[in-house]
Amino acid sequence: MKEKILVTGGTGYIGSHTTVELLAAGYDVVIIDNLSNSNIGVLDGIEAIAGQRPEFVEGDCTDIETLHRLFKEHPGITGIINFAASKAVGESIHKPLLYYRNNLMSVCNLLELMPQYGVKGFVFSSSCTVYGEPDKNPIDETAPIKPATSPYGNTKQIAEEIISDYVHSGAPIKSILLRYFNPIGAHPTALIGELPVGVPQNLVPYLTQTAAGIRQELTVFGDDYNTPDGSCIRDYIDVNDLAKAHVVAMDRILHRPDTDSVEVFNLGTGRGLSVLELIRAFEAATGVKVPHKIGPRREGDIEKIWADPAKANNVLGWKAEAPIEDTMRHAWAWQCHLKETNA
Ligand code: WQD
């Protein structure tokens, strides 16, 4: 009997890539998604890649009755991977209540129902934003959690605390918190990838849309930072590597009885790349030029942050493998696929 995992937000960017890896690893998957920031057509891409279609429930995790129905109609779910959340940093500043309600009510509902339906494991999609502007890089899991610089980042910090408090209250569940650095790229088949809504806020989708002529020019937000070339540094992690980490984490919770009830892992490559270096990596990997200019800094941007992934490498048994050139080629192939399919 295959183990069944609930993936909330599973038609989203990281959720869809994780669903592909879960199916490949032999799990069955149920997706719940309210489709507020994703497209149901993603299920076709997942099926084409994995050769199996996940079960799908259109619904909102902030509604506990929806979740009761889901667990009753899909018995035997042993683990949850929780992606469902609003994730635009800028938007969260203007709509804090939407972010606190959506991102935290969903976590509380899921956690509350787990014991009732025999669900053992909870993998949480967290973010390096919990560290704020690090005092030093690379950054490991012992780095101090700093006051969040946005309601979005605060919801990640609070959700981590909610999960830890609930597990430590004696709830019969275990959890792994995965703190992502900067997820980028697309599936090598170019059948699934990032589907930004409107004008992309994140660097790579804006970059590939500029390369495709959809955007006129990429603005580099500042080249006067205290970095070698003046532009900000990030740890860009291939989304497929990131997806695989979720399967390893779920395996660990469900099949390793000797692990702590709550564990935290930084998911990054351990390599910092500047904005200008990433642009050059894309151009070298694809042969496609990216028209760009230097503009003013973006408010709230962190100067530099990259991971020390030693704990994930040595304890979780996971390591980011994709060369940045492959990731850039996959991101470009996905952008071309979108243009061909007028998606
Ligand atoms: C990366 C770098 C920008 C766009 C955010 C969230 C984080 C996570 C990933 C959800 C920065 C520069 C960007 C552009 C640019 N999201 N940039 N021109 O801000 O590091 O992280 O997304 O989990 O939580 O905070 O990612 O891709 O927006 O920016 O120069 O048009 O690219 O200044 O230095 P960020 P990003």
Side-chain angles (χ1 to χ4, degrees), residues 87 89 127 129 152 181-183 201-204 206 218-221 232 234 236 275 298 301-302:
K87 64 160 193 167
V89 172
S127 170
T129 43
Y152 161 76
F181 282 66
N182 284 62
Q201 298 304 303
N202 289 129
L203 176 61
V204 171
Y206 200 104
L218 169 68
T219 302
V220 175
F221 295 145
C232 292
R234 294 290 185 275
Y236 295 99
V275 176
R298 178 173 68 176
D301 270 343
I302 283 164

Side-chain angles (χ1 to χ4, degrees), residues 14 86-90 125-130 149-150 152-153 156 180-184 194 199-207 210 217-222 225 231-236 273-276 278-279 293 295-305:
I14 304 167
S86 303
K87 64 160 193 167
V89 172
S125 167
S126 192
S127 170
C128 62
T129 43
V130 303
T149 54
S150 71
Y152 161 76
K156 292 300 183 183
Y180 310 159
F181 282 66
N182 284 62
I184 61 169
E194 195 167 4
V199 178
Q201 298 304 303
N202 289 129
L203 176 61
V204 171
Y206 200 104
L207 184 155
T210 303
E217 192 173 41
L218 169 68
T219 302
V220 175
F221 295 145
Y225 286 97
S231 63
C232 292
I233 294 174
R234 294 290 185 275
D235 186 327
Y236 295 99
L273 273 183
S274 75
V275 176
L276 291 169
L278 193 93
I279 293 170
K293 66 180 179 183
R297 292 182 173 193
R298 178 173 68 176
E299 190 186 348
D301 270 343
I302 283 164
E303 179 173 82
K304 51 194 169 204
I305 183 169

Side-chain angles (χ1 to χ4, degrees), residues 5 9 23 44-45 88-89 134 178 189 220 230 243 245 248 272 276-277 281 285 301 307 327-328 331 338 342:
I5 305 298
L23 293 170
D44 298 331
V89 172
L178 298 177
T189 61
V220 175
V248 173
L276 291 169
E277 286 173 327
D301 270 343
T327 305
M328 291 291 92
L338 287 177
N342 297 318

Side-chain angles (χ1 to χ4, degrees), residues 186-296:
H187 195 268
T189 61
L191 293 174
I192 56 174
E194 195 167 4
L195 274 171
V197 175
V199 178
Q201 298 304 303
N202 289 129
L203 176 61
V204 171
Y206 200 104
L207 184 155
T208 57
Q209 287 189 8
T210 303
I214 296 167
R215 307 288 165 199
Q216 191 182 353
E217 192 173 41
L218 169 68
T219 302
V220 175
F221 295 145
D223 70 344
D224 57 351
Y225 286 97
N226 180 23
T227 63
D229 65 18
S231 63
C232 292
I233 294 174
R234 294 290 185 275
D235 186 327
Y236 295 99
I237 175 170
D238 187 287
V239 66
N240 303 287
D241 283 336
L242 188 61
K244 291 182 175 83
H246 291 75
V247 180
V248 173
M250 188 52 79
D251 286 346
R252 180 177 174 84
I253 289 179
L254 297 181
H255 309 135
R256 289 280 306 272
D258 59 333
T259 59
D260 291 343
S261 52
V262 181
E263 294 183 296
V264 184
F265 295 98
N266 283 356
L267 296 185
T269 66
R271 170 204 62 214
L273 273 183
S274 75
V275 176
L276 291 169
E277 286 173 327
L278 193 93
I279 293 170
R280 278 198 292 279
F282 176 87
E283 293 181 334
T286 62
V288 178
K289 283 291 178 200
V290 180
H292 60 280
K293 66 180 179 183
I294 305 298

